[in-house]
Each structure stands twice: as structure tokens, then as C-alpha cells.
Amino acid sequence: MSRKSFLMRIGGILALVLILIVLIVFLEPEKTGITRAQAAKAAALFDVSRETCVQYGEEREDSHFTEKEQKNWYVIYMDYLYDHGGLREEYTESTAQAAQQELTYREAELLAEFLGKKYKSRVNVTRSNREKPFPADLWWEIYDEAVTDQVDSGIQALDVILYGTPTNIETAPGWTCYTSGGDFRFEGLALDAYLDRKIRIYVRDGEVAGAGRLLSEQVVYENVWTESLDGELLSVHAGTITRQFPVSGKKLSEDVVHNIVDIHLKKGKLQKITIKKERVKGRVLAVGEDFIEIEGYGAVPLAPGFRVYKVYGEYEEQTRADILVGYSLQEFVAADGKLCAALTVRPFHPERIRVLLMDDGFQSVFHGTVELTLNCDAVLTFGEKEKEKARLEAGTKLTIQPGDDFLSAGRAVITPSVPEDGISVDSLSRSQGTPSYGGTLEIRQEPEGLVLVNDVLLEDYLKKVVPSEMPASYEPEALKAQAVCARTYAYRQIMGNSYSRYGAHVDDSTNYQVYNNTKTYDSTSLAVDETCGKLLCYEGQAAEAYYYSTSCGHGTDGSVWGGDGVKTPYLKAVELRDERRCLDLTLEEAFAAFIKNPDIPAYDSAYPMYRWSALYKGSTLGRQLGMGEIRSIQVTKRGPGGVAQELVITDEDGRKKTCSSQMEVRKALGSKELEIERKDGKSVSGMSLLPSAFIAVQEVGTAKDGSRLFEIYGGGYGHGAGMSQNGAQGMAKEGRSCEEILQFFYEGAEVGELEAG
């Protein structure tokens, strides 16, 4: 090739490259920007919640915007940023017109710095571009990095499928979107273009800060419940809404309706439907984070998109918390060896309860060794899917330790031939001595040790709860009131499912209700039998049937656990006497006068713990709390009825300990060494919890070691909300019935039977 030809060829290539560069520059579509309003919302919610922005706006005396423009959705976010360095009025005018215009490079640099100093350089501002629109995709790249870096900031990046907005869901409230990750508000944002697509959104406290980017136009609605096929429209439940998909021209199996399916979509168009028909049925034995243990199947793993649906009566989407251990209310849908969904097909009726048996002293649910004696013939079931069985004769003694062969599958069950008190647990000691249990006994092997679960009929359980919670010598109507409360409490705990990881509902300690700590009596068993199936109900629902030992003459309400009491309107802070007056005991002087008076009449005023007192040395209390000598004990907040809800303890160095609930107060001032003088003049000790938080504290002098002395004047035993057990006994002695007692302590509640549900 000649030199001239070579140069011509090189020149042609260079000319072609130049032409391509020009075409790219002039023909490439300009990147879309983001409005100042949308960017401001994202930046403000990166820092604080929408509620904080609203509150901040209400507390300000004025706004950067005119009065006419202040109702616009973006004002709360932009005002917050103007005042906290995210926006400057010399760059960004505080007008509606400016808010709807595109964010510039210069403004983006300031907002990026607001997210964190290191993000400022990512904007790359120059003299030539600072007033030009900043590309939306670059803004979301920076934002995504900031959210990822600030994992504890309160804002989350979620990859979700967008199911619906008010555009396609007629019943949707304004600015509400429905996604595979939950339901959120998206005030001021445009999401409709993402329907039936997978997108990345940023959420803080239920509010969408922004939609980062489209992730996929091919999505699968996994494990949805098909409701109906009406003509050419298939109705399915997706999240909390119902969606309809056109199925014109597609041949659908009759099985598609009332089944779990996967719906495959591309660009919002239905591509195919996969029906999942495999069913697993059986009693639920445990519900873990990533598995459900089913009788006869063992622990079955959960698919990533696992759902729970109530499909009898009125449809409802539920959660794993609605899968009750010990019951077979669900049919499970399986595919590829995993559970895809649980279908609740029948209502709940409380027949059995599963109780974790704690160790001696009720310190732990785990046991190192378990020793048993069989009081009758029994069957031991164990092995993979519990296919192995061994017959055991009455009198057989078993010593069980972690690693035993029959625990190789993680669980074994002993089923006595006689359900009443068929198994004695020799390794446990209770007030009655060695306890015996009816029903079945399950031994589970956990990493921390052995777990014992007693599966027993609810009514039989109550016959061992009532005598453990109330003296058997009490009046029949008081015992019946206790039985109704105990049954109602147990019902709610079964529904609560808090021990589902270990296949239980409750334990046998004061954490729930004391079970099988004393022997049974005819009087307490009769009380259970005569109230069989009866619950305490309020507006058709099982009430929170809280109870405690003794009042101080005045009860408190549901706020004693930190709420506002609105959710339990039947728990009233009233006197325990016929008048049921609500005294204002929230002021220190009024409560002190009340609690120091032992002669205030009440149904339980004759009982020793109605009034009590204790003397504390500042040096002793200081050592107990890991502080210096205590110089001051002050109740700084009282709840209804005068219960101490906040207590501040100050030591000689000025250090303070603040107790922010009645339980914290009782823990801080309780001590096994503290001597408590009761109303009857006798003293008791060994209480790690102060008897109650109905207390007044007074400095009364100086101890021999020079430390300050504090007198605690107290009344009652327990939290003070609901039924006083000794108050119930006092009412029963006056001839009041079980129903009258319960209606006194739970205003507006009724004794009845709930419909199964």
C-alpha cells in the first residue's frame, strides 16, 4: 500500500469517528431530570420522618412560601431543608413554580452534601453545567449509595413489585400504593408508569421518599390466591388488594380458581399461570423464622415468598403469627420441597394448650437432664418424621440427656394411655413436690438444652392453674371469676403464639400463669367445670383479663404498661368499693395522704398487703444499683390511681437512674434483703420485686453509718390493673356472683362464649 493510500485510509477512519461522536452528542436523548420538589422530599426523609417535617412546620411561626402556596405537599420538606442546610434561597426560589422545575447541578451539589459530605464531589459541578438540569438517574445513584451507607438511619431501600395505586384500585385512599413489600404513602410522586414492574423505592416510616429505578419489566406474582374467573377476567389477591388480569385467548385449567398460583407478567401483560396443587396437612408443632414443623413431616423449609391466607368465610391475608402451634387450622401448599403458602381453612376453637415447663425456680426453659417416671403404660414416638414407636410399661423410669439416640430427629413424644397425670417429672420440684402432668409430654432438643412441652386439654390446664393462682379455700364465686379470667388469658396467649419457635403457647411461670405448682382441689376444679368455655368478652372479643393479688384501695388502667389505656377501655382506675369513684391521685400530696392511711375502706382492705412499708438505707440502695450513696428518691410521674410511672434516683455524685415504668420501679427498689412490714405487723423479706409501684417515698433521717434513710409507704401487691384477687374474695364474701365481680373489675365486659374464629 502506498503512503498516500495509507494516509487517506487513516483520514477516512478519523472522519468516521468524528461523525459518530457528533451523532452521539446530538442524537443521544437528553437525560431526564428530577423536580426540586421530588428531590427535596427524598433528601428530607433521608434525615427525618414525614411526621417530624409536619411537626417542624407547625412549630415554625412562618414559612418560606407564601400563605397561598403553603398547602402544597412539598412545602414541609423544602421548609425543613431551607432551615437545615439542604437548600438555599439564593439558589432555589421558595415558589410553587420553582418547586416543580428541575433540580440544577448547583442545587444537587448542596443536597448531596446534605446526605453526607463525601457525596458532594459526586455531582461534578462546573461553570458550564451548574444551572443545567441534574440527571435523575445520577441523583438516585448518589441517594442509593447514601442509603446503603447509612443502614441505621431509618430509611430503607426496598426492591418491590408495584401492585396498585389509586389509578387501578378504585378503593385505594389517596397517595396509597400497594407493593410486594407492603402498603405505603407516596405523596407527590408519580408511580403509575411502574405498575406491574419491579422497582427500587426508598421508604421511611411508611412514606415513599422516592422511586430509584426500574429493575425489571418481567415479574412474577408469587403464591397469590385466585378468587374467581369471571368471563375473561381472573381475580387474584395480591398483598392487601384484589387485582384483575385479562385472560383473553388463554386456555386456563378449572383448577386455577381457589388455588395458589404464580402469575408471570411482562410489561404488565399476562404471560402464563403456574398452579401449585401439592398439599401438606397436619398439626403444627413449631413455627420458626424459616421453617414450619408439621406432625408427620418434620420441619419443612419456607419458600422466600411464603404467604398465609384465610380462605373460609371472608377472605383475609394473615401472617405467620396466625399459624397456631398445636392445631391443624391450615393446609399448606408445597412446591420443590418448600412451603409456598398456608391456607387457613377452619376457625380456631380453644381446646388444647401447649405449656413450656421451666426448670426449678422458673429460671430457664432449658433443661440439662430430664428424669421421668411413667405412672401408666405409654408410647414413645420418635425418629425421622416420627415413624419409630416404642411401648413403655407403667413404672418405667427414663433419664434423658441431649444427644440421646431417640432425639436424633430433634423431638420425641410420650403419650400416656391414661391422660390424667400420666407422667411424673422427677427432675422438677414445685411447691407440691414432684409434679405430674396429664396430656402428652414432648422433649425437644435445642442448642441450649432440652425443652419440655406439655400438650394438654385447656380445661385440664385450668384445673392446675386456678389453685396455683388463688387459694382453694376462697369463696366459690371468687374461684369462678378466677377461672374465667384464667381461661380468657390462656385464650389470648394461644392466639399470641409467642413461644411458637419451641412449639408452645405459654410457660408455667408467673410470666404467664402459674401452672401445676400446687395440687388440685375439688373446689378449684368445680369452678373450672362450672364456667366451662366461658370467657370475658368486650364488644365480641376476648378481653385482656389481667389480674393481680391485692389493691391499695384504688386500681389503675391499661396505661400501667406504657400505653394510653384506650385499647382497654374496660380497665378503669377506680376505688375498690361500691362507689367506684375515680380519685385524682396523680399529685404527690394527694397520693401520700392516701397511701399512708391504712383505714381507707376497700373490698380487700383486710388483707396484709393492703398496706406495707419498708426502710431503705441510701448506702445499701446505692450498692444494689451500682451507684454511690443515694441522696434522693423522687416519684416524678404518676399514672391513674397514683401508680408510680417514673422514678428518679440520685446518688452523692449527682448521677441519676430513671425508672420509666411501674415494673422498672419495682425492680430498682426490690431486694431480697429488704424487710417489708405488712399491715398486720408481720415482716416479710426475699422479694426481688417491690410488691407494687403504688408507693410514696419520704426521707426520714440518718442511719448509723451516716447514710440517708428513706421510708417507702406502699399499698397492694401486683400491677393494679384488672381484677384484684383478694378484692374478688371480699366481694364474694358479701354475696356477689362471679358475673357481678367481673363486671365490677372490667367495666362493660360480659361473660360468654366467643364464636369460633
Side-chain angles (χ1 to χ4, degrees), residues 614-683:
L615 195 63
Y616 243 130
K617 287 202 305 184
S619 55
T620 304
L621 180 58
R623 284 195 302 272
Q624 180 178 311
L625 299 176
M627 302 170 69
E629 181 192 320
I630 301 304
R631 295 294 178 87
S632 170
I633 305 174
Q634 291 183 310
V635 177
T636 51
K637 181 182 177 182
R638 293 192 182 276
V643 63
Q645 289 188 335
E646 186 176 87
L647 183 81
V648 177
I649 303 172
T650 308
D651 72 3
E652 58 190 343
D653 299 319
R655 289 184 298 172
K656 297 181 184 295
K657 176 179 177 60
T658 301
C659 306
S660 302
S661 70
Q662 62 94 20
M663 184 54 74
E664 286 187 17
V665 171
R666 295 173 66 189
K667 286 181 179 178
L669 297 181
S671 170
K672 292 185 177 180
E673 299 176 4
L674 188 66
E675 288 228 344
I676 294 174
E677 185 175 340
R678 309 186 310 183
K679 181 184 175 182
D680 61 1
K682 294 182 180 179
S683 294

Side-chain angles (χ1 to χ4, degrees), residues 7-27:
L7 291 174
M8 289 179 65
R9 176 169 294 185
I10 294 298
I13 293 172
L14 291 174
L16 180 61
V17 169
L18 183 61
I19 291 170
L20 287 174
I21 291 173
V22 171
L23 287 173
I24 290 171
V25 170
F26 286 97
L27 297 182

